[in-house]
Amino acid sequence: MIAKRLQALRNYMASNDLDAFIIPSTDPHQSEYVADHWKLRTYFSGFTGSAGTLVVTQKVAALWTDSRYFLQFDDECKDSEVTLYKQSIPHAPEHVAWLCDSLDKGSTIGVDYRQFSKSQIDYIFDFTSPKNIKLKNEFHFAKEIWTDRPSLPNFEVEIHPLEFSGETTASKLGKIQAEIEKQKAHFYLISSLDEIAWLFNIRSRDVDFTPLVTAYALVGTEQTLLFCNTNRFSENAIAVFEKLNISIKDYDLIAATLPETTSGKRIVTDSSSLNYACFEEVNGEFIYQNSLVKRLKAVKNEVEIAGSKNCMIKDGVALTKFFIWLEKELENQTISEYKTGRKLDSFRQQQEYYTGESFPAIVGYKGNGAIIHYTAPEKNSAEVSNEGILLVDSGAQYKDGTTDVTRTIWLGGTPSEKVKTAYTGVLKGYIELDQLQFPEGTTGAQIDAFARVHLWKKGLNYPHGTGHGIGSFGMVHEPAQGFTTGPTTERGTTPHLPNQLTTIEPGCYVANEFGIRTENIVLSKEIHTTDFGTFLGFEALTLCYIDTQLINIEELRKEEKNWLNNYHQLVFDKLSPLLNEDEKQWLQKKCKAI
């Protein structure tokens, strides 16, 4: 099937004088997860990971992705001609230099400008210009090949109420409009879906696992345009927006509207997210800077923080019931990884305000746990039994918040010293970062090593960042703060501020043997102020027991034991009032002090 699709693409390339084609994993809004309509890279490669770029020439089909997906690629693309090129840095555009080195002078590369940001196309131009290699906008290419391509989503748009958002649309728009005036500009052009959802307090289900609305926005000091099909809004919602001087125009009218509306105007935008097709339609003067919305959205208000804490209790109850169920079921039978993940979701569905998973649940038994973004197939997934190790990384979307939690548990038998060493190093790394105090303004790259140091001492490491921001009924991987070894990445260079939600998730993985990860969501907060400035720290919000069977207790310092005991007491105190007596007793045993 993939071979036929690649051949059809190559036939199209030959007919249109294209020497190569670049197909990224994104949509016109640079989204991490995309609607089925935009899963072009998956369609032509068979690779389903959320990050990766496919490059096709008449001779080669090559896919670039990072170490999180190497094992997944080997599994999904083993029977195709697609070749893996291993990125040394996640999301790095290493394919560009390779492709330009491979092509002759005067060659032509096909791209869909809607899928590339202004800054990405500028980067490509830096490599293509010396060889006079041209880029050609081929936004219709898929229509001739993908004949049953899914339509763009058209679900109803819901207003996210003040009881969950904590701030009105008028207030948020006022902050952006003040920034526009400060820049002596007329408009702010936004294409990032999570920023639009937050700014306008709107939600829908256009994208899997993320309650986003497919839209563009042109925020003006006098009038604001929201490009999203009008039939998706109720009459009441339209009336609310009209009172705020927000006009709703159909999504496809963005290209026709921009030239006239922006003529002679100054437009603020973020070149890292604005797609190149929109850039070409603007007639005014651009002012490029980092997103005005991103930095506001990252700092949560009191309502969002309270909502997140409430979500953690609900999530903790669901996880407790799930692990009790799993333990009992495995006494008599095996259960597939896929069914295990579905059962976990069923417990979350019982919780108030639940709307869906926040990402595809990762249920990795034994060696499958080493596949960092593993998704168990519905058919022929591994059978989980009451022995060995299981990694469960999952999360949910609730109307009052978003969750993401990982636990690694031992199901039975005698664990090897190798497993216990890795598990203990991961736990010590988590505690180290959880308890860290640092000056305000410290960046993710400065902090990341604290979570790794205990693994490094054992000659161990892990090939991913240590954490990412979390949205409020929004993106599970929300920019911009986080923890990473990449000093030039957004997560690496962004300072941490009070009242941000971030994950801490160190891990350790041995191919074909085991995967270990412990992950909590933490809230950043001010600890104290000294002569050396304001210092921040973290408060763990996730509420789920941490398996103590795999810990080398003698390796834990007194303060690490105290942290674990205090955390387990918190978990029990918060969750036990919502459990029946049998469940309370089970959880009490799991939270027993060490």
Side-chain angles (χ1 to χ4, degrees), residues 10-27:
R10 285 171 172 142
N11 292 342
Y12 178 92
M13 291 163 55
S15 299
N16 291 273
D17 298 321
L18 302 174
D19 301 287
F21 215 104
I22 305 176
I23 305 176
S25 60
T26 57
D27 60 10

Side-chain angles (χ1 to χ4, degrees), residues 222-444:
E222 297 180 1
Q223 185 183 31
T224 293
L225 302 178
L226 180 63
F227 294 90
C228 182
N229 294 348
T230 54
N231 64 358
R232 302 183 60 183
F233 293 82
S234 68
E235 291 183 4
N236 179 61
I238 293 174
V240 169
F241 283 140
E242 285 179 347
K243 290 179 181 179
L244 297 173
N245 208 18
I246 300 170
S247 297
I248 302 174
K249 291 180 173 288
D250 281 349
Y251 178 77
D252 290 334
L253 292 179
I254 180 75
T257 304
L258 281 178
E260 181 179 352
T261 306
T262 61
S263 180
K265 307 294 185 182
R266 288 163 58 87
I267 298 93
V268 179
T269 198
D270 186 343
S271 63
S272 68
S273 58
L274 181 69
N275 70 59
Y276 201 77
C278 282
F279 162 78
E280 288 201 315
E281 297 296 342
V282 170
N283 274 336
E285 174 189 352
F286 275 114
I287 301 172
Y288 297 114
Q289 65 177 75
N290 290 333
S291 166
L292 301 179
V293 174
K294 187 184 297 182
R295 65 189 185 212
L296 295 173
K297 178 166 57 68
V299 177
K300 308 308 180 194
N301 60 46
E302 291 182 1
V303 172
E304 290 173 320
I305 292 170
S308 181
K309 290 181 177 181
N310 190 49
C311 283
M312 300 307 165
I313 294 174
K314 293 184 291 188
D315 226 45
V317 169
L319 285 161
T320 299
K321 291 177 180 290
F322 161 73
F323 282 121
I324 292 172
W325 168 85
L326 181 63
E327 195 172 279
K328 289 181 178 178
E329 289 294 308
L330 292 180
E331 291 176 358
N332 301 308
Q333 63 179 326
T334 63
I335 311 161
S336 74
E337 294 168 321
Y338 177 82
K339 289 182 179 179
T340 301
R342 294 302 88 221
K343 188 66 177 181
L344 172 54
D345 184 52
S346 74
F347 284 113
R348 284 193 167 111
Q349 289 177 27
Q350 299 170 18
Q351 304 303 313
E352 186 179 31
Y353 301 140
Y354 174 88
T355 67
E357 294 177 289
S358 57
F359 59 95
I362 299 168
V363 181
Y365 184 50
K366 294 186 176 180
N368 286 340
I371 305 173
I372 296 170
H373 280 195
Y374 174 72
T375 301
E378 184 173 357
K379 296 181 179 179
N380 301 319
S381 64
E383 290 291 317
V384 181
S385 67
N386 61 353
E387 59 94 16
I389 196 166
L390 178 71
L391 184 151
V392 180
D393 184 353
S394 64
Q397 295 285 2
Y398 302 94
K399 290 185 177 181
D400 51 352
T402 302
T403 67
D404 182 2
V405 53
T406 308
R407 290 295 184 265
T408 308
I409 62 172
W410 187 254
L411 299 174
T414 302
S416 68
E417 196 58 35
K418 183 178 182 180
V419 168
K420 294 181 71 173
T421 296
Y423 185 90
T424 306
V426 168
L427 176 60
K428 286 170 70 71
Y430 173 84
I431 297 172
E432 192 77 40
L433 193 45
D434 180 286
Q435 295 293 282
L436 185 68
Q437 292 186 24
F438 54 92
E440 188 172 17
T442 302
T443 64

Side-chain angles (χ1 to χ4, degrees), residues 371-576:
I371 305 173
I372 296 170
H373 280 195
Y374 174 72
T375 301
E378 184 173 357
K379 296 181 179 179
N380 301 319
S381 64
E383 290 291 317
V384 181
S385 67
N386 61 353
E387 59 94 16
I389 196 166
L390 178 71
L391 184 151
V392 180
D393 184 353
S394 64
Q397 295 285 2
Y398 302 94
K399 290 185 177 181
D400 51 352
T402 302
T403 67
D404 182 2
V405 53
T406 308
R407 290 295 184 265
T408 308
I409 62 172
W410 187 254
L411 299 174
T414 302
S416 68
E417 196 58 35
K418 183 178 182 180
V419 168
K420 294 181 71 173
T421 296
Y423 185 90
T424 306
V426 168
L427 176 60
K428 286 170 70 71
Y430 173 84
I431 297 172
E432 192 77 40
L433 193 45
D434 180 286
Q435 295 293 282
L436 185 68
Q437 292 186 24
F438 54 92
E440 188 172 17
T442 302
T443 64
Q446 292 174 297
I447 296 176
D448 183 89
F450 288 91
R452 300 176 188 267
V453 63
H454 297 287
L455 288 168
W456 289 348
K457 289 177 181 179
K458 302 288 187 178
L460 304 172
N461 202 358
Y462 51 94
H464 57 74
T466 303
H468 53 81
I470 288 280
S472 179
F473 193 36
M475 292 176 63
V476 72
H477 300 136
E478 181 181 82
Q481 85 283 354
F483 313 109
T484 179
T485 55
T488 62
T489 63
E490 185 175 46
R491 288 179 189 166
T493 58
T494 299
H496 282 257
L497 301 171
N499 296 330
Q500 292 179 323
L501 298 173
T502 312
T503 65
I504 299 176
E505 47 182 307
C508 189
Y509 314 92
V510 177
N512 303 315
E513 293 187 37
F514 62 81
I516 294 167
R517 187 160 61 251
T518 297
E519 175 188 19
N520 282 350
I521 293 173
V522 296
L523 173 69
S524 54
K525 59 182 183 179
E526 290 188 12
I527 300 298
H528 56 203
T529 299
T530 72
D531 292 341
F532 296 92
T534 298
F535 284 75
L536 305 184
F538 299 115
E539 173 189 354
L541 300 189
T542 301
L543 298 168
C544 182
Y545 85 96
I546 295 171
D547 195 350
T548 57
Q549 297 178 88
L550 295 175
I551 302 173
N552 281 325
I553 304 295
E554 66 277 6
E555 291 189 19
L556 295 188
R557 305 189 306 269
K558 179 180 178 180
E559 55 267 32
E560 292 170 334
K561 291 180 183 178
N562 288 340
W563 180 91
L564 185 58
N565 290 338
N566 290 336
Y567 176 74
H568 274 152
Q569 188 63 53
L570 175 68
V571 170
F572 183 77
D573 290 345
K574 291 287 188 179
L575 301 185
S576 58

